[in-house]
Amino acid sequence: MKQTALQVIPVLSMPFAENSYIVYLEGRDDAVVIDPGLEPQLILAKLKKHQLHLVAILNTHGHADHIAGNASMKKHFPQATLYIGEGDAPMLTDPVLNLSRPFGMDIISPPADQLLNEGDSISLAGIDMNIREIPGHSPGHIVFVLTDRQPHIVFGGDTLFQGSIGRTDFPNGNHQQLITGIKKKLFSLPEDTIVYPGHGDETTTGEEMVSNPFLI
């Protein structure tokens, strides 16, 4: 049986060039949004264009540039469920912890509706995702892994980038923890696994295994 095609619409949010993603199955009108950033109007315009309604907001972590659009998403789609890793949940409602206060923004998100941990599985808008914790950029950073897709797909937030990795010089960052997590939980996936990162262009696990200077 042929698998329904997964549609991924990236939305670039300034001023931090953060990638938000609208994800849905072809032929369906429900969607999830991953890491809505500081320009939520761009996401809302895409949802309207494609006649999609939002059923869930997924945060890979709690830094301001990845949660700034949560409130707007909730305002327009009040029934959408907000998910985040348990370790980063306090960052949603604390502008010091989510690092927005140093930029003079004081960004506050609605609290999470559901907390996620290592090994959890969720099914939203017909899309099955497994949760893996990869702390280091933030204490409770998670990634969303679609292992029922060929190739596999990862929405990795600020863990693995094309030729780089997430910063670890923020409060509660840990460089070795991030490196270990990437190698154990991403590089264990097939080499053709597509990684959609929080910043920059998409890549694959195989490409980063052999060329990423932080990981070879």
Side-chain angles (χ1 to χ4, degrees), residues 116-121 131-135 142 185:
L116 297 170
N117 291 283
E118 174 75 26
D120 287 345
S121 296
I131 309 305
R132 299 188 181 190
E133 291 181 0
I134 304 182
I142 58 173
K185 297 182 181 180

Side-chain angles (χ1 to χ4, degrees), residues 98-153:
N98 67 39
L99 307 182
S100 60
R101 182 159 292 174
F103 293 94
M105 296 186 200
D106 269 22
I107 289 169
I108 294 176
S109 161
D113 298 305
Q114 187 163 335
L115 302 179
L116 297 170
N117 291 283
E118 174 75 26
D120 287 345
S121 296
I122 53 177
S123 185
L124 302 162
I127 304 164
D128 296 325
M129 301 184 183
N130 299 318
I131 309 305
R132 299 188 181 190
E133 291 181 0
I134 304 182
H137 176 71
S138 69
H141 198 301
I142 58 173
V143 300
F144 300 94
V145 185
L146 284 62
T147 56
D148 64 338
R149 296 269 147 192
Q150 297 301 328
H152 294 353
I153 292 171

Side-chain angles (χ1 to χ4, degrees), residues 141-212:
H141 198 301
I142 58 173
V143 300
F144 300 94
V145 185
L146 284 62
T147 56
D148 64 338
R149 296 269 147 192
Q150 297 301 328
H152 294 353
I153 292 171
V154 172
F155 293 96
D158 289 0
T159 56
L160 180 63
F161 300 143
Q162 187 181 73
S164 189
I165 59 172
R167 290 177 59 170
T168 56
D169 57 340
F170 292 133
N172 301 309
N174 186 308
H175 181 79
Q176 191 54 53
Q177 197 175 39
L178 179 58
I179 296 291
T180 300
I182 291 171
K183 289 183 175 180
K184 180 179 178 182
K185 297 182 181 180
L186 295 184
F187 286 178
S188 59
L189 294 166
E191 291 184 9
D192 62 349
T193 299
I194 300 168
V195 180
Y196 290 99
H199 303 269
D201 296 331
E202 67 184 76
T203 186
T204 65
T205 50
E207 178 182 341
E208 300 311 313
M209 282 182 206
V210 299
S211 66
N212 193 307

Side-chain angles (χ1 to χ4, degrees), residues 13-77:
S13 232
M14 302 309 283
F16 299 107
E18 181 266 344
N19 294 325
S20 305
Y21 297 99
I22 300 168
V23 187
Y24 66 101
L25 292 179
E26 192 174 272
R28 293 183 60 137
D29 65 356
D30 47 352
V32 304
V33 168
I34 298 171
D35 289 348
L38 282 147
E39 296 187 281
Q41 71 278 7
L42 301 178
I43 299 171
L44 294 169
K46 293 281 189 184
L47 291 169
K48 183 177 181 180
K49 177 183 177 181
H50 293 275
Q51 297 181 305
L52 298 167
H53 73 270
L54 189 63
V55 297
I57 305 152
L58 309 179
N59 292 147
T60 60
H61 63 294
H63 288 153
D65 54 332
H66 292 256
I67 67 167
N70 287 356
S72 182
M73 296 299 111
K74 273 287 200 178
K75 177 181 177 182
H76 288 86
F77 299 95

